[in-house]
């Protein structure tokens, strides 16, 4: 074989190969996959991950939301929450919560808004959502999470202050809080495409509110890029960022939808960078449950830990 061809093949293999290690793996992606969080430009990017901390939420842990140094993770069934301090990498408490109108909530997505129930509250309101595929109506549950201090010790409680019913949508519908525009995006659809409809965030004055599909301010659909269920949604930098991969037979991915262009902007294959099969997980595979931002970094939470994802330009 011609030496030049051999060299070219070798260079190509190096570029597309990825390194699998416990704390640092990377993969190369083409330009149209590299605009997540507006950090990438050029012909290729480097995607790395590292284990940030352990979580002890255990079986049934689902979506998570971050405010300051605090991470709150919910559970399938929506009966309790676990609170962590991210800076100290420490579990603080597991608290019971009041159930909503429907006991069955999968808690795929949790977001903090910017509004507070009381002006002196430490936490803003927490929005919890996701029904099941057999439910005709999904709900968004709004909680007031209270942090109290006594003898220099923290304690927490959570009270349901509002229930928002989502009418006229498909099943497995979730609410994504857009704090910049004081709005809520309703993600709907699962099979062939995802839909995103924007509504004003309801006032907290009423205990029960309805969001009806045909009253949307904006609405668009994107053809689905992956085989898998999107979950753990986050609105950040005019994008809806989420993860997918609820079973080993599905595509495991980190994706973003740009709500300005109304198109999928990027995706990262979590299997390809080695994230899904991290040997330190203690399980057959890692199901990514949610995404959140912490100190400017994109984080992925699952039931046993938090990973930091770094996306940067790869210099060739």
């Amino acid at each position: 074989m011609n030496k030049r061809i051999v060299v070219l093949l070798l260079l190509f293999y190096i570029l597309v190969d990825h390194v699998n290690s416990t704390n640092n793996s990377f993969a190369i992606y083409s330009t149209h996959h590299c605009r997540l969080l507006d950090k990438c430009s050029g012909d290729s990017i480097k995607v790395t991950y590292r284990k940030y901390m352990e979580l002890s939420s255990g079986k049934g842990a689902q979506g998570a939301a971050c405010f300051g140094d605090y991470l709150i993770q919910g559970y399938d069934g929506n009966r309790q929450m676990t609170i962590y301090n991210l800076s100290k990498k420490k579990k603080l408490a597991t608290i019971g919560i009041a159930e909503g109108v429907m006991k069955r909530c999968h808690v795929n997505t949790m977001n903090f808004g910017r509004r507070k129930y009381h002006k002196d509250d430490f936490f803003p309101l927490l929005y919890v959502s996701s029904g099941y595929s057999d439910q005709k109506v999904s709900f968004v549950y709004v909680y007031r999470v209270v942090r109290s201090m006594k003898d220099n010790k923290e304690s927490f409680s959570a009270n349901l202050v509002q229930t928002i019913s989502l009418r006229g949508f498909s099943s497995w519908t979730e609410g994504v809080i857009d704090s910049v525009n004081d709005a809520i995006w309703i993600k709907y659809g699962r099979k062939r495409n995802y839909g995103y409809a924007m509504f004003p965030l309801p006032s907290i004055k009423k205990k029960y509110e309805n969001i009806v599909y045909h009253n949307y301010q904006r609405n668009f659909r994107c053809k689905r890029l992956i085989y898998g269920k999107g979950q753990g949604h986050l609105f950040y930098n005019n994008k809806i960022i989420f993860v997918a991969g609820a079973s080993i037979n599905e595509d495991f991915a980190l994706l973003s939808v740009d709500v300005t262009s109304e198109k999928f902007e990027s995706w990262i294959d979590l299997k390809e960078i080695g994230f899904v099969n991290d040997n330190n997980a203690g399980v057959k595979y890692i199901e990514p449950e949610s995404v959140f931002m912490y100190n400017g970094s994109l984080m992925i939470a699952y039931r046993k830990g938090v990973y930091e994802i770094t996306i940067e330009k790869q210099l060739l």
Side-chain angles (χ1 to χ4, degrees):
M1 184 180 292
N2 186 291
K3 289 184 177 180
R4 186 175 180 181
I5 295 176
V6 172
V7 171
L8 289 174
L9 288 173
L10 180 61
L11 287 173
F12 176 78
Y13 175 79
I14 293 172
L15 290 178
V16 300
D17 190 27
H18 61 275
V19 178
N20 287 317
S21 64
T22 300
N23 294 316
N24 190 20
S25 300
F26 73 87
I28 304 299
Y29 291 86
S30 59
T31 303
H32 66 283
H33 288 155
C34 75
R35 296 180 59 200
L36 186 64
L37 306 184
D38 284 337
K39 292 190 68 175
C40 306
S41 60
D43 294 330
S44 59
I45 63 170
K46 182 180 179 181
V47 181
T48 64
Y49 73 91
R50 71 179 183 94
K51 186 74 167 286
Y52 178 77
M53 67 178 285
E54 299 285 342
L55 296 181
S56 57
S57 303
K59 187 176 180 179
Q62 300 296 325
C66 176
F67 177 76
D69 285 329
Y70 294 86
L71 178 71
I72 300 182
Q73 188 168 35
Y75 293 80
D76 181 28
N78 198 30
R79 293 188 174 93
Q80 62 184 15
M81 301 175 185
T82 298
I83 303 171
Y84 298 88
N85 186 301
L86 291 170
S87 64
K88 297 179 180 179
K89 300 183 180 181
K90 178 183 177 182
K91 177 181 175 180
L92 299 177
T94 296
I95 58 175
I97 57 176
E99 297 175 6
V101 174
M102 295 183 70
K103 295 180 180 180
R104 298 176 67 232
C105 179
H106 193 51
V107 195
N108 262 346
T109 294
M110 299 177 70
N111 296 154
F112 281 106
R114 70 180 184 189
R115 300 179 187 175
K116 293 185 176 182
Y117 188 81
H118 188 277
K119 63 181 180 63
D120 294 328
D121 285 352
F122 179 81
F123 290 104
L125 293 168
L126 178 64
Y127 294 77
V128 177
S129 62
S130 182
Y132 288 83
S133 58
D134 60 345
Q135 292 176 339
K136 294 182 179 180
V137 178
S138 292
F139 295 85
V140 177
Y141 302 114
V142 188
Y143 292 94
R144 180 192 186 191
V145 180
V146 178
R147 172 181 176 264
S148 303
M149 294 291 294
K150 185 177 181 181
D151 298 328
N152 206 30
K153 293 183 179 180
E154 293 177 299
S155 62
F156 303 88
S157 62
N159 301 306
L160 181 68
V161 294
Q162 187 178 60
T163 300
I164 304 171
S165 63
L166 307 177
R167 306 282 176 173
F169 296 90
S170 57
S171 61
W172 210 284
T173 301
E174 302 175 32
V176 188
I177 304 304
D178 173 358
S179 295
V180 175
N181 299 301
D182 204 27
I184 182 170
W185 288 86
I186 306 302
K187 172 258 179 182
Y188 61 95
R190 296 179 65 200
K191 293 184 178 180
R192 296 183 178 178
N193 55 48
Y194 293 125
Y196 300 91
M198 178 183 175
F199 301 84
L201 197 60
S203 168
I204 199 63
K205 293 180 179 180
K206 292 183 179 180
K207 191 172 182 179
Y208 299 99
E209 281 282 3
N210 293 314
I211 288 180
V212 182
Y213 174 77
H214 63 257
N215 290 334
Y216 58 79
Q217 289 183 333
R218 291 182 57 193
N219 185 35
F220 66 93
R221 297 192 179 208
C222 296
K223 186 177 180 180
R224 195 173 72 169
L225 296 178
I226 48 124
Y227 175 72
K229 306 174 184 70
Q231 58 190 22
H233 296 73
L234 172 73
F235 189 93
Y236 177 78
N237 200 20
N238 223 35
K239 301 169 179 59
I240 295 174
I241 305 171
F242 63 99
V243 284
S247 77
I248 200 65
N249 297 319
E250 295 185 359
D251 292 329
F252 285 75
L254 171 66
L255 307 100
S256 70
V257 174
D258 189 306
V259 300
T260 301
S261 64
E262 300 185 348
K263 295 179 180 179
F264 270 104
E265 185 177 62
S266 59
W267 67 272
I268 292 172
D269 187 330
L270 295 177
K271 283 184 178 179
E272 186 171 339
I273 68 171
F275 174 84
V276 173
N277 301 114
D278 191 314
N279 291 327
N280 278 354
V283 291
K284 291 182 180 179
Y285 67 92
I286 298 173
E287 178 187 350
E289 298 288 358
S290 62
V291 294
F292 63 93
M293 297 299 299
Y294 178 60
N295 287 340
S297 295
L298 180 66
M299 317 293 275
I300 293 180
Y302 80 114
R303 66 185 180 91
K304 286 194 174 185
V306 172
Y307 283 82
E308 181 180 1
I309 306 295
T310 302
I311 304 165
E312 58 191 37
K313 184 174 180 179
Q314 174 72 18
L315 300 176
L316 301 179

